[in-house]
């Protein structure tokens, strides 16, 4: 007969495999609480299933394969985190890094997505090496907090600009580079339905619902916007929707937004074009060193910040304030980046949305296992992913961008030598449309300002080395 002990919420709890593996009693939690926490986190971060393939398909990779890769990569990574590190953290392909992969490495620099995946693999291997050695502590201690905060904010601004472009709110302008679009435009372009007003509405709905802490606010915002697009399809005449010349061959037949079902048995053959396709040998190129460094930096600092924040919220520190299991969680995250490459994913990283599950009681890896299993079940949602219009999903992209930019509030705004390099990093990521350029400008600005103001003692050896690397990049390498 199984032993039964009383839990902290007066519910019985079986002392069996789950208790022994996840140490539920020691973390003052129950199976029911952990499962509900996992479900909560999954709902808050499930938008990545729809957003990641939308972004990365612009690199030439197939949407269907990317959707399956996102679900499978997130599932495996989160299961590793739960079963190995016993942390209540969900992982998935990183926002910002997927955009850098698509628009900078493949788009601006002209590399194939196979070589870009090779760069992701190499950065993941470096992350693993850093996680199992003291290089991790050296890196985290060497880079000033202002630049670490700026990397997060800069990726956010970079994402925001992409979101505004994708929704059609911002368009090209020959006189001023960019300008606002005609918000009353509804129609078809080469990438499908276009509706900048609905894209902006999607962002506003998501922001309002999230501020009010409505459960699943991101998904509700996307869903409501999609429903409005459906109603417009039924009510408005066909000639209301302006069809671009390049879209006339397919637009009239598809409808503004077409219903193609919600669930379907996945055809895993769709993974074949991107499975094990990373060109690792092709990534061994001098010009790709800044790219690999960028993948590594953004991944490690974003991961470290997320994990430490979740640890504090979940009370995972010991009596001395040391975070329990941080080393294992960093290893799990770094290994996941390497594993995700096999499926065609950009760097897989820990998601700050994990705090949502922690806030409702998630304390152990059972929360992560629940998240991972739900992501695995997500492979059945491919018809839904293909049905959601881009402008509805891209509203979530703008919202995520705003969240990431909030990191600037922690800057020391009284010290020019701290905030100026951070601002330079942030704006240059968006204005040069390159995360690596933004990081490079930030490091160079930081070093020069510290030296020029007599504070050279605040420049670490790591910053000196990286500044030299980025100077050489601008002298000899060009994207």
């Amino acid at each position: 007969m199984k032993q039964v002990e009383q839990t902290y919420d007066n519910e019985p709890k079986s002392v069996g495999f789950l208790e022994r593996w996840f140490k539920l009693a020691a973390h003052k939690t129950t199976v029911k609480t952990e499962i509900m926490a996992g479900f909560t986190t999954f709902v808050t971060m499930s938008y990545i299933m729809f957003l990641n393939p939308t972004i990365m398909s612009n690199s030439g990779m197939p949407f269907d394969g990317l959707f399956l890769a996102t679900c499978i990569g997130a599932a495996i990574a989160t299961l590793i985190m739960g079963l190995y590190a016993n942390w209540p953290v969900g992982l998935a392909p990183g926002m910002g890094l997927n955009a850098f992969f698509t628009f900078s490495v493949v788009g601006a620099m002209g590399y194939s997505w196979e070589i870009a995946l090779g760069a992701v693999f190499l950065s993941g291997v470096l992350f693993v090496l850093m996680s199992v050695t003291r290089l991790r502590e050296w890196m985290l201690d060497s880079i000033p907090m202002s630049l670490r905060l700026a990397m997060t904010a800069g990726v956010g601004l970079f994402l925001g600009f992409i979101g505004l472009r994708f929704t059609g709110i911002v368009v090209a302008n020959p006189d001023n580079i960019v300008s606002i679009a005609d918000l009353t435009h509804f129609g078809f372009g080469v990438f499908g339905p276009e509706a900048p007003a609905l894209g902006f509405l999607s962002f506003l709905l998501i922001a309002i619902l999230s501020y009010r802490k409505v459960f699943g606010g991101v998904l509700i915002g996307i869903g409501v916007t999609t429903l409005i697009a459906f109603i417009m399809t039924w009510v408005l005449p066909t000639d209301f929707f302006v069809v671009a010349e390049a879209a006339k061959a397919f637009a009239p037949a598809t409808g503004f937004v077409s219903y193609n079902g919600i669930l379907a048995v996945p055809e895993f053959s769709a993974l074949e074009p991107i499975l094990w396709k990373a060109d690792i040998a092709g990534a061994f190129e001098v010009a790709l060193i800044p790219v690999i460094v960028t993948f590594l930096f953004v991944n490690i600092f974003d991961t470290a910040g997320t994990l430490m924040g979740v640890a504090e919220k979940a009370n995972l520190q010991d009596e001395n304030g040391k975070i329990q299991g941080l080393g294992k969680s960093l290893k799990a995250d770094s290994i996941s980046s390497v594993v995700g490459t096999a499926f065609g994913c950009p760097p897989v990283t820990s998601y700050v949305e994990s705090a949502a599950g922690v806030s409702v009681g998630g304390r152990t890896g059972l929360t992560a296992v629940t998240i991972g299993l739900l992501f695995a079940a997500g492979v059945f949602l491919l018809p839904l992913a293909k049905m959601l219009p881009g402008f509805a999903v891209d509203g979530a992209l703008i919202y995520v961008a705003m969240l990431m930019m909030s990191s600037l509030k922690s800057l020391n705004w009284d010290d020019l030598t701290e905030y100026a390099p951070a601002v330079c990093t942030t704006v240059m990521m968006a204005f040069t449309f390159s995360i690596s350029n933004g990081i490079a400008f930030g490091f160079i600005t930081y070093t020069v300002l510290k030296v020029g103001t007599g504070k050279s003692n605040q420049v670490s050896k790591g910053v000196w080395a990286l500044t030299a690397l980025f100077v050489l990049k601008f002298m000899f390498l060009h994207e």
Side-chain angles (χ1 to χ4, degrees), residues 74-87 91 328 331-333 335-336 339 368-369:
I76 294 175
T78 308
L79 288 172
I80 292 174
M81 178 65 76
L83 295 173
Y84 172 67
N86 197 24
W87 271 43
L91 295 90
K328 276 191 171 183
K331 291 173 189 174
D333 193 296
I335 291 170
S336 298
V339 174
V369 169

Side-chain angles (χ1 to χ4, degrees), residues 169-432:
I169 296 172
V170 169
V171 295
N173 184 300
D175 299 320
N176 196 36
I177 303 178
V178 294
S179 64
I180 192 168
D182 176 7
L183 297 181
T184 64
H185 168 71
F186 296 90
F188 298 92
V190 293
F191 298 112
E194 296 177 341
L198 291 183
F200 190 52
L201 174 64
S202 174
F203 158 67
L204 293 176
L205 286 173
I206 291 170
I208 292 171
L209 294 172
S210 298
Y211 179 82
R212 292 182 174 274
K213 294 180 170 53
V214 175
F215 184 67
V218 175
L219 295 182
I220 293 173
I222 293 173
V224 170
T225 306
T226 301
L227 179 60
I228 293 173
F230 268 126
I231 294 173
M232 292 178 64
T233 300
W234 297 332
V235 173
L236 298 174
T238 303
D239 58 5
F240 175 83
F241 303 103
V242 179
V243 182
E245 188 67 31
K248 287 185 177 179
F250 62 86
T254 61
F256 189 51
V257 177
S258 301
Y259 178 77
N260 298 307
I262 296 177
L263 297 171
V265 176
E267 296 183 10
F268 290 103
S269 59
L271 268 175
E272 186 177 351
I274 60 176
L275 191 64
W276 302 106
K277 291 298 191 295
D279 185 355
I280 300 171
F284 279 97
E285 185 177 321
V286 174
L288 280 169
I289 292 177
V291 170
I292 296 170
V293 170
T294 297
F295 279 133
L296 175 64
F297 276 18
V298 176
N299 197 4
I300 193 172
F301 293 130
D302 185 50
T303 295
T306 297
L307 291 178
M308 286 188 283
V310 170
E312 181 179 355
K313 197 173 184 66
N315 195 27
L316 295 175
Q317 301 102 327
D318 59 21
E319 60 275 8
N320 298 317
K322 184 178 180 180
I323 298 175
Q324 300 173 332
L326 179 61
K328 276 191 171 183
S329 61
L330 282 168
K331 291 173 189 174
D333 193 296
S334 60
I335 291 170
S336 298
S337 290
V338 177
V339 174
T341 308
F343 295 94
C345 292
V348 175
T349 187
S350 301
Y351 266 60
V352 71
E353 283 84 352
S354 302
V358 169
S359 68
V360 298
R363 294 294 182 271
T364 74
L366 184 54
T367 293
V369 169
T370 303
I371 300 167
L373 294 176
L374 289 170
F375 267 120
V379 297
F380 293 94
L381 295 174
L382 178 58
L384 174 62
K386 296 175 72 172
M387 177 182 65
L388 297 175
F391 52 77
V393 178
D394 294 331
L397 185 60
I398 301 173
Y399 169 70
V400 171
M402 302 302 172
L403 291 182
M404 296 179 73
M405 288 194 66
S406 67
S407 66
L408 289 178
K409 68 183 179 183
S410 300
L411 282 176
N412 179 5
W413 290 99
D414 294 323
D415 187 345
L416 176 71
T417 65
E418 293 291 333
Y419 72 76
V423 172
C424 183
T425 300
T426 302
V427 298
M428 291 304 286
M429 282 190 188
F431 294 169
T432 67

